[in-house]
Amino acid sequence: MFSPTEENYLKAIYLLTEKDSARAVATNELSAQMNTRAASVTDMLKRLADKRLIHYKKYKGVMLTTSGKSQALAIVRKHRLWEYFLVEKLKFQWDEVHAVAEELEHVKSEALIDKLDSYLNNPKFDPHGDPIPDRLGKLSASGFKNLTSLKVNEKGKVAAVIEQQPAFLKHLDKLHIHMSTPLKVIEHIAFDKSMTISINQTATVNISHEVAKNILITK
Amino acid sequence: MFSPTEENYLKAIYLLTEKDSARAVATNELSAQMNTRAASVTDMLKRLADKRLIHYKKYKGVMLTTSGKSQALAIVRKHRLWEYFLVEKLKFQWDEVHAVAEELEHVKSEALIDKLDSYLNNPKFDPHGDPIPDRLGKLSASGFKNLTSLKVNEKGKVAAVIEQQPAFLKHLDKLHIHMSTPLKVIEHIAFDKSMTISINQTATVNISHEVAKNILITK
DNA sequence: ATTTTATTTTAGACTAATCTAAATATTATT
DNA sequence: AATAATATTTAGATTAGTCTAAAATAAAAT
Ligand SMILES: [Mn+2]
Ligand SMILES: [Mn+2]
Ligand SMILES: [Mn+2]
Ligand SMILES: [Mn+2]
């Protein structure tokens, strides 16, 4: 149906507007996300517009059409299901799966992804806590809170990470912070916005604001 | 390293010479196998020769170099491991897996294929009885016999199929002939070379020479 | 309201992979 | 050995996706 490149552009537009789907995406934003030059983006935007996957007006940025969004959700679904498979079944680390899923997501087979979904027991969240769209593109509401918003003595479990670069994920590994790890806030340090937390009821450590703000928590 | 297209050509050359690796493959043979025109094949052969993956002399056909053969084996390994995964874990039918594996085989990750291999307990044969090369490209010897070569009253189990078109595989399904199904020869009919066989100690049927010669048997 | 800066688009070029039509080489047939 | 038939290669085009450099537009600063 669509080429891997077209799929990657659609996914990139979707991910940039995941929080605010009414907003337009700028050419330079996309060129940063895709590691291509702005001129290449403009070319591709014309092609995606011809295929009615995006709304595009010169110089005005771009938004997904209904059809484009549903395509994008299908790719995100595949990406996240494959990530789940790689971690749960093949025992990859959570910092290793993104690059591989980036290729697997382009394999064209409805049957494959539906059977994979069943085989994995229809998981709702991927190894980074991101929601996995169902066959119809529907996302589970997560209602996670940012770690920085917890008060002293409040507890919770790690539910998702915002930043997902391997360097950040490996840093969390070193702190023994993983998906579902229980955390408790010991102190907020006003000076640098850092936090002291207890991890898994054992270690007590200080983490920077930069780290804390990239961790989402559930009960 | 190599594009999916280059990989497909290498695999095609390998498969055409799997029985007799000393033999040269003709341009038209490849164009038939790849569903492209002869002119496209010639173009690609030049590129593969530049990369030292094949020995190519104009009008003289083509053979894999050592490097080309080891590349081809790596792709065949991926293809057959994915087929095994699709049948054993995702419950695909044996006539449905080839097309999907044709895409999965191009995913670039050593770790992925090694972990998949372990996860599947290092299978030696794919769902069609074809040997799965190991990490080093080594193939298990199979020693299967052609069903047509069995004498009356000789028994054996289905070990592999030569023809692998979905139409043929579905025909075998209808006869309840699958991998490992026990067969016994009841009679050879000289007139049309057809055979009467018992399937799974229950049904007794007559199968054409065309069918019989595409079934391989083990003890 | 100009001018400067930043963003985006256009123009033109390149590579991989394909095609058709024409030219050339090889093989088979008389 | 000459001719006919078949196989292969070359020539020239096309499309997707990319790039750099230049031109055009929009936004920010004076
Ligand atoms: Mn991708
Ligand atoms: Mn993820
Ligand atoms: Mn393939
Ligand atoms: Mn197979």
Side-chain angles (χ1 to χ4, degrees), chain A residues 15-218:
Chain A
L15 293 175
L16 288 168
T17 55
E18 205 168 17
K19 294 285 138 62
D20 172 12
S21 70
R23 146 183 179 247
V25 174
T27 301
N28 269 353
E29 253 184 299
L30 263 176
S31 87
Q33 180 90 359
M34 299 291 302
N35 283 301
T36 54
R37 297 319 188 101
S40 310
V41 172
T42 301
D43 269 9
M44 179 56 83
L45 293 184
K46 285 179 195 162
R47 267 176 278 154
L48 294 177
D50 284 349
K51 297 186 177 184
R52 317 264 154 210
L53 294 164
I54 57 171
H55 297 293
Y56 172 57
K57 285 254 166 63
K58 270 195 203 178
Y59 295 100
K60 295 300 173 190
V62 69
M63 277 174 59
L64 293 172
T65 61
T66 308
S67 152
K69 185 174 179 184
S70 103
Q71 280 298 326
L73 279 163
I75 302 153
V76 168
R77 168 172 161 79
K78 292 194 241 178
H79 184 99
R80 292 179 181 167
L81 273 176
W82 278 116
E83 283 192 345
Y84 187 93
F85 166 75
L86 294 172
V87 167
E88 291 301 314
K89 302 291 188 182
L90 297 196
K91 308 304 176 192
F92 273 81
Q93 301 298 306
W94 67 345
D95 62 299
E96 302 171 325
V97 295
H98 181 80
V100 180
E102 200 56 52
E103 294 190 54
L104 285 165
E105 70 191 358
H106 304 294
V107 174
K108 300 271 186 297
S109 167
E110 284 275 326
L112 174 62
I113 208 67
D114 288 342
K115 282 171 188 279
L116 183 66
D117 195 15
S118 304
Y119 180 59
L120 300 173
N121 296 121
N122 316 105
K124 297 284 172 283
F125 297 95
D126 86 357
H128 312 104
D130 290 316
I132 301 175
D134 71 12
R135 285 170 50 92
L136 305 170
K138 197 140 190 292
L139 294 157
S140 299
S142 56
F144 305 147
K145 286 195 233 171
N146 199 288
L147 175 54
T148 58
S149 74
L150 296 202
K151 316 271 183 237
V152 169
N153 283 324
E154 261 195 283
K155 294 180 196 171
K157 291 179 178 178
V158 176
V161 285
I162 297 173
E163 174 58 65
Q164 301 187 5
Q165 289 174 44
F168 176 65
L169 298 177
K170 284 193 180 113
H171 179 60
L172 294 186
D173 283 345
K174 224 176 288 171
L175 292 167
H176 299 103
I177 294 176
H178 305 111
M179 208 52 64
S180 299
T181 303
L183 302 182
K184 181 181 164 191
V185 178
I186 307 295
E187 191 183 356
H188 282 279
I189 314 306
F191 171 67
D192 62 356
K193 292 186 177 163
S194 72
M195 298 176 72
T196 304
I197 61 173
S198 90
I199 297 170
N200 211 5
Q201 286 119 27
T202 50
T204 295
V205 300
N206 181 264
I207 59 174
S208 69
H209 182 68
E210 193 59 30
V211 166
K213 78 178 186 199
N214 281 299
I215 297 175
L216 299 183
I217 297 293
T218 188

Side-chain angles (χ1 to χ4, degrees), chain B:
Chain B
M1 198 66 161
F2 301 106
S3 73
T5 308
E6 290 170 324
E7 291 186 344
N8 285 335
Y9 273 92
L10 288 175
K11 182 160 63 93
I13 297 167
Y14 173 79
L15 293 175
L16 287 169
T17 55
E18 204 169 18
K19 293 284 139 64
D20 171 12
S21 69
R23 144 182 183 249
V25 174
T27 302
N28 269 352
E29 252 184 299
L30 264 175
S31 87
Q33 180 91 359
M34 301 290 302
N35 283 302
T36 55
R37 296 319 186 107
S40 311
V41 172
T42 301
D43 269 10
M44 179 56 82
L45 293 183
K46 286 179 195 161
R47 268 177 279 153
L48 295 177
D50 285 349
K51 296 185 177 184
R52 317 264 153 208
L53 294 165
I54 57 171
H55 297 293
Y56 172 56
K57 285 253 167 63
K58 269 194 204 177
Y59 295 100
K60 296 299 174 191
V62 69
M63 278 173 58
L64 293 172
T65 61
T66 308
S67 153
K69 185 174 178 182
S70 102
Q71 281 298 325
L73 279 162
I75 302 153
V76 167
R77 169 173 161 77
K78 293 195 241 179
H79 184 99
R80 292 179 181 167
L81 273 176
W82 278 117
E83 283 192 347
Y84 187 93
F85 167 76
L86 294 173
V87 167
E88 292 301 315
K89 302 291 186 182
L90 296 197
K91 308 304 175 192
F92 273 80
Q93 300 298 307
W94 66 345
D95 62 299
E96 301 171 327
V97 296
H98 181 81
V100 181
E102 201 55 53
E103 293 190 54
L104 285 165
E105 71 191 358
H106 303 294
V107 175
K108 299 272 186 296
S109 166
E110 284 274 326
L112 173 62
I113 207 67
D114 289 343
K115 282 171 188 279
L116 182 65
D117 195 16
S118 303
Y119 180 59
L120 300 173
N121 296 122
N122 316 105
K124 297 285 170 282
F125 297 94
D126 86 357
H128 312 104
D130 290 316
I132 301 175
D134 70 13
R135 285 170 50 94
L136 305 170
K138 197 141 189 294
L139 294 158
S140 298
S142 55
F144 304 149
K145 287 195 234 170
N146 199 289
L147 174 55
T148 57
S149 74
L150 296 203
K151 317 271 183 236
V152 169
N153 282 323
E154 261 196 282
K155 293 180 196 171
K157 291 179 178 175
V158 176
V161 284
I162 298 173
E163 174 58 65
Q164 301 187 4
Q165 289 174 42
F168 176 64
L169 299 177
K170 284 192 180 114
H171 180 61
L172 294 186
D173 283 346
K174 225 175 288 170
L175 293 168
H176 300 104
I177 294 176
H178 305 110
M179 207 53 63
S180 299
T181 302
L183 302 183
K184 181 179 163 191
V185 179
I186 307 294
E187 191 184 357
H188 281 280
I189 316 300
F191 171 66
D192 62 354
K193 291 185 176 166
S194 72
M195 297 175 73
T196 305
I197 60 173
S198 90
I199 297 171
N200 210 4
Q201 285 120 27
T202 50
T204 296
V205 301
N206 180 264
I207 59 173
S208 69
H209 181 68
E210 194 58 31
V211 166
K213 77 179 186 197
N214 280 300
I215 298 175
L216 299 183
I217 298 292
T218 189
K219 295 250 169 57

